[in-house]
Amino acid sequence: MAHSYELRDIATQVRRDIIRMVSMAGSGHPGGSMSSTDFLTYLFFREMKQDPATWRRDGRGQDVFILSAGHTAPVYYSILSRAGYFPASELGTLRKFGSVLQGHPSIRKGLPGVFQTSGSLGQGLSAAAGFALAKKLDGAPEYTFVMCGDGESEEGQIWEAGMFAAHHGLDHLIAMTDWNRQQIDGGVDEVGGIGDLEAKWKAFGWNVIVAPAHDFEAVGKAFAAAKKNVGKPTMILFESEMGHGVDFMAGTHKWHGKAPSAEQCAEALAQLGETPLGDF
């Protein structure tokens, strides 16, 4: 979907939204939300075939996106609102009792733009493979996108879904890993030791692309290359920085699931700077 704002402005505003949402809620997951902001901004505002006016929960006639790493809901909610799925004013209700913006994405209350409840780590890739297979069986041309975490990739279901997708030749399935190398308890290699993700996905029969997560030109080239691939699903390993955009959050697992204080929120917003979109 085309948009008049520059990608950098949108991404900066999304990061501002994330910081303010999590601070206001007093809980949430800012680190991974901020590391994945740039490539998800590109996906929604330059790459995906999607339109809030014609959105359908069954995914027919449109590209589908599923957030497998559901704890990064703040970035998802901000992007959906900024893309026009619901008013940005609702972002202030994150994690409040009765809000449609629950701590993890849910279809229970009918939030527009959300195809699949997620947050139980490892399940989103299976759901995305199901959408992609359905589209293939229907002869539909659209793509299914899914974002996984590198810590999440310690879950066995990720690899079961990986085998399934490769077996069925789901070349219109484009998965992304937010490869920030951090998870809630520390560095990914220290906690689970998942090793060389590029080699593992190739061994599972996937087309694999490694790209920098915070360079819009490189992100665009990665998506373009993924769409040229035939016969295999694609995994784009986006090399990212946890907490990217705010110096005291960057590169550490300590902001995986921690809300900034009012003072820290103000400092983060000052570093990010204002945008033409404006805060909610």
Side-chain angles (χ1 to χ4, degrees), residues 49-78:
K49 176 185 177 182
Q50 50 93 28
D51 185 347
T54 58
W55 181 80
R56 295 170 48 135
R57 195 173 303 282
D58 63 10
R60 290 184 182 274
Q62 65 201 307
D63 288 344
V64 168
F65 171 75
I66 292 174
L67 182 67
S68 189
H71 58 280
T72 59
V75 65
Y76 192 20
Y77 295 154
S78 173

Side-chain angles (χ1 to χ4, degrees), residues 6-253:
E6 294 293 328
L7 287 172
R8 179 58 58 192
D9 287 335
I10 300 171
T12 297
Q13 187 60 56
V14 168
R15 287 192 170 94
R16 289 183 66 89
D17 291 346
I18 292 165
I19 293 295
R20 295 183 69 239
M21 292 163 68
V22 175
S23 180
M24 292 166 67
S27 65
H29 295 79
S33 293
M34 294 171 69
S35 60
S36 58
T37 291
D38 294 324
F39 62 85
L40 291 183
T41 295
Y42 192 101
L43 177 66
F44 270 82
F45 290 91
R46 293 291 185 271
E47 190 66 39
M48 280 180 64
K49 176 185 177 182
Q50 50 93 28
D51 185 347
T54 58
W55 181 80
R56 295 170 48 135
R57 195 173 303 282
D58 63 10
R60 290 184 182 274
Q62 65 201 307
D63 288 344
V64 168
F65 171 75
I66 292 174
L67 182 67
S68 189
H71 58 280
T72 59
V75 65
Y76 192 20
Y77 295 154
S78 173
I79 286 175
L80 286 176
S81 72
R82 298 297 175 175
Y85 283 89
F86 59 89
S89 58
E90 291 189 30
L91 294 176
T93 70
L94 175 71
R95 289 180 169 247
K96 292 186 177 178
F97 186 76
S99 171
V100 295
L101 305 184
Q102 298 182 35
H104 296 76
S106 173
I107 61 173
R108 181 182 178 195
K109 296 193 176 185
L111 182 64
V114 177
F115 292 96
Q116 175 73 27
T117 297
S118 59
S120 295
L121 294 179
Q123 295 182 356
L125 185 57
S126 295
F131 269 100
L133 180 57
K135 286 184 176 294
K136 182 176 182 177
L137 293 174
D138 284 346
E142 299 91 21
Y143 285 83
T144 301
F145 298 89
V146 56
M147 189 191 94
C148 305
D150 50 0
E152 178 188 19
S153 298
E154 295 163 4
E155 297 280 356
Q157 188 171 347
I158 289 287
W159 302 101
E160 294 175 40
M163 288 188 291
F164 176 93
H167 176 72
H168 289 282
L170 302 181
D171 52 13
H172 275 44
L173 173 62
I174 299 177
M176 300 157 279
T177 296
D178 181 25
W179 202 4
N180 59 38
R181 296 176 168 82
Q182 304 292 327
Q183 61 188 93
I184 196 165
D185 291 326
V188 171
D189 286 342
E190 298 170 1
V191 176
I194 58 174
D196 189 339
L197 281 178
E198 182 179 4
K200 284 186 174 178
W201 281 109
K202 286 180 178 178
F204 271 69
W206 284 55
N207 175 48
V208 182
I209 298 166
V210 180
H214 307 304
D215 179 332
F216 288 123
E217 183 178 358
V219 169
K221 288 180 179 178
F223 283 126
K227 288 187 172 180
K228 291 178 182 177
N229 168 68
V230 177
K232 297 180 179 181
T234 293
M235 171 59 76
I236 306 176
L237 298 170
F238 280 117
E239 295 189 292
S240 64
E241 179 183 52
M242 178 76 89
H244 186 77
V246 175
D247 61 7
F248 62 85
M249 292 184 169
T252 173
H253 72 280

